[in-house]
Amino acid sequence: MSFTTPPRPFDVTALFPQLAPLARTATRLHPRPGSPTVHDSSAGGPLLWPADEPWPHCEEPHDSEAADEMHSPDDIRLLRRIHAAAAERRLRAPQAPAITPEEREIEQRLREGHPWFDGPIPMIPVAQLYTPDVPLPASPPGADLLQVLWCPCGHEEFAHPRTALFWRSSASVTDVVDAPPEPPVIQFDWYLPEPCLLAPEQVTDYPSPMELSKELQQQLGDVSRWETAGFAWDGTGALDPQEFYFRNLCHAPGWKTGGLTRWGLTDPMPRPCPECGTETTPLLTIASSEWNSGSKSWMPDEERTNPTPLLIGTPPANFTLLDIAGAYDLQLHACPVSPDHPHIELVQ
């Protein structure tokens, strides 16, 4: 499995050479549904977790009022199988029923949900990244594996799941846990990632318009400059050149490692390490979608020429089935001085 990001619609450094030294390399992960093993880099797949190491639990207070209806992981998987079967049935025969009596009975039963669970709750796997597959900034000496988990229940002061990061040497794991614990309930169905294999691909990120100097922002928004270059940015659906740059040129959407921060929900702000005060850098972006209606230019070539049923229609394309705070991204930033320092969670 491999995916190729199309060349950008416009070589922005030819028009604005000041951007060239600001570029950073990012690795798009391209998660797609599959059956990963503990030896694969994955999103939502099983972890190479030592059998003699306790599984992480979230012991912080949880917001019992965040959701009216809570499901177990198995409930969510069953509902997803029903929805997938219905979609395939309608694809094969458009007049087929949207839901069968048996499926309706299961949905009605599961709609009752589960009671609130009060106490430490097992965290669930979100990502496993082997550094030979996925370049990762600031990995500890001897570590070739990053594992990311999060709490499946809401916290009153956060609009996103709380995450935990673990670096390890895969060679040191000789006995792998057979059946890691799962939470009895998950507060929101979209906190459970669909298991996906990854197809890493390196691309180039440029800073968000809001991180550029005032002078460069003005130049970027100067319509006459773009017209002189002979590029019709206004034929792309963007309201102005800065929006076109943001959607199509500055940073790749979707799951990725490294690169630059995708500001948008808030203005840029300092992200100092809580331990030493050093400015943190992007480590991993956990995205709600690979692209949306404003960023279709990032859709891989392979899926443009041979779209699967999942891709027929209008993006956004959400293969992991996650939803971060209403279709945003959760960006994890790490300290470049020491991977042992606490990481920062940023929703944008």
Side-chain angles (χ1 to χ4, degrees):
M1 181 174 65
S2 63
F3 296 104
T4 308
T5 298
R8 295 301 79 213
F10 182 78
D11 181 4
V12 70
T13 58
L15 188 57
F16 303 100
Q18 310 96 304
L19 288 170
L22 305 178
R24 297 291 183 273
T25 298
T27 301
R28 299 189 75 185
L29 299 183
H30 297 301
R32 297 296 185 271
S35 300
T37 72
V38 297
H39 302 293
D40 294 314
S41 292
S42 66
L47 303 183
L48 186 80
W49 195 269
D52 60 354
E53 183 175 327
W55 189 265
H57 286 62
C58 180
E59 300 185 6
E60 297 184 14
H62 297 106
D63 183 7
S64 61
E65 304 298 325
D68 297 328
E69 178 183 303
M70 302 180 70
H71 293 129
S72 71
D74 284 341
D75 289 347
I76 296 171
R77 296 180 185 115
L78 178 55
L79 286 169
R80 287 178 179 175
R81 288 197 295 271
I82 289 175
H83 297 159
E88 183 176 356
R89 183 169 61 243
R90 295 294 295 276
L91 185 66
R92 295 176 181 275
Q95 303 305 317
I99 187 170
T100 66
E102 295 79 7
E103 291 168 345
R104 181 177 291 106
E105 180 181 349
I106 294 173
E107 284 197 341
Q108 290 174 345
R109 174 171 55 83
L110 296 183
R111 195 172 293 128
E112 298 177 4
H114 291 267
W116 172 252
F117 176 82
D118 193 12
I121 192 162
M123 304 183 86
I124 56 178
V126 177
Q128 174 165 270
L129 306 174
Y130 285 89
T131 57
D133 303 329
V134 182
L136 289 167
S139 56
D144 65 347
L145 178 61
L146 172 64
Q147 296 170 324
V148 182
L149 301 92
W150 69 23
C151 174
C153 289
H155 298 74
E156 290 184 1
E157 68 273 31
F158 295 97
H160 59 81
R162 297 300 309 275
T163 56
L165 274 56
F166 297 86
W167 292 95
R168 67 176 79 251
S169 165
S170 60
S172 68
V173 184
T174 56
D175 190 10
V176 182
V177 64
D178 289 329
E182 286 198 319
V185 292
I186 292 178
Q187 197 140 26
F188 299 106
D189 294 1
W190 53 85
Y191 278 6
L192 180 66
E194 186 71 9
C196 287
L197 290 164
L198 307 180
E201 177 203 20
Q202 290 195 333
V203 295
T204 300
D205 272 5
Y206 297 100
S208 166
M210 294 184 288
E211 288 193 286
L212 302 175
S213 67
K214 292 295 183 184
E215 179 183 5
L216 189 48
Q217 286 186 40
Q218 291 174 354
Q219 293 177 9
L220 195 65
D222 185 350
V223 174
S224 62
R225 280 179 171 260
W226 295 83
E227 291 176 342
T228 301
F231 184 77
W233 61 266
D234 52 349
T236 66
L239 297 177
D240 54 56
Q242 284 199 21
E243 183 184 359
F244 169 73
Y245 169 79
F246 179 78
R247 288 182 174 184
N248 300 283
L249 303 180
C250 65
H251 28 49
W255 285 62
K256 64 181 180 181
T257 60
L260 289 164
T261 304
R262 186 181 176 85
W263 299 102
L265 182 61
T266 67
D267 290 338
M269 64 184 72
R271 299 145 296 165
C273 169
E275 184 78 18
C276 67
T278 304
E279 186 73 0
T280 58
T281 56
L283 174 64
L284 171 66
T285 297
I286 301 169
S288 295
S289 66
E290 287 293 283
W291 61 83
N292 57 35
S293 58
S295 57
K296 287 185 286 186
S297 70
W298 295 97
M299 184 178 182
D301 284 332
E302 292 79 2
E303 291 173 331
R304 292 171 182 271
T305 57
N306 186 28
T308 67
L310 186 61
L311 295 170
I312 294 174
T314 303
N318 184 355
F319 300 95
T320 59
L321 303 183
L322 297 181
D323 186 343
I324 308 296
Y328 288 99
D329 296 344
L330 177 59
Q331 302 177 64
L332 307 183
H333 290 70
C335 177
V337 173
S338 173
D340 294 328
H341 289 176
H343 67 285
I344 290 177
E345 301 164 337
L346 178 68
V347 173
Q348 290 292 326

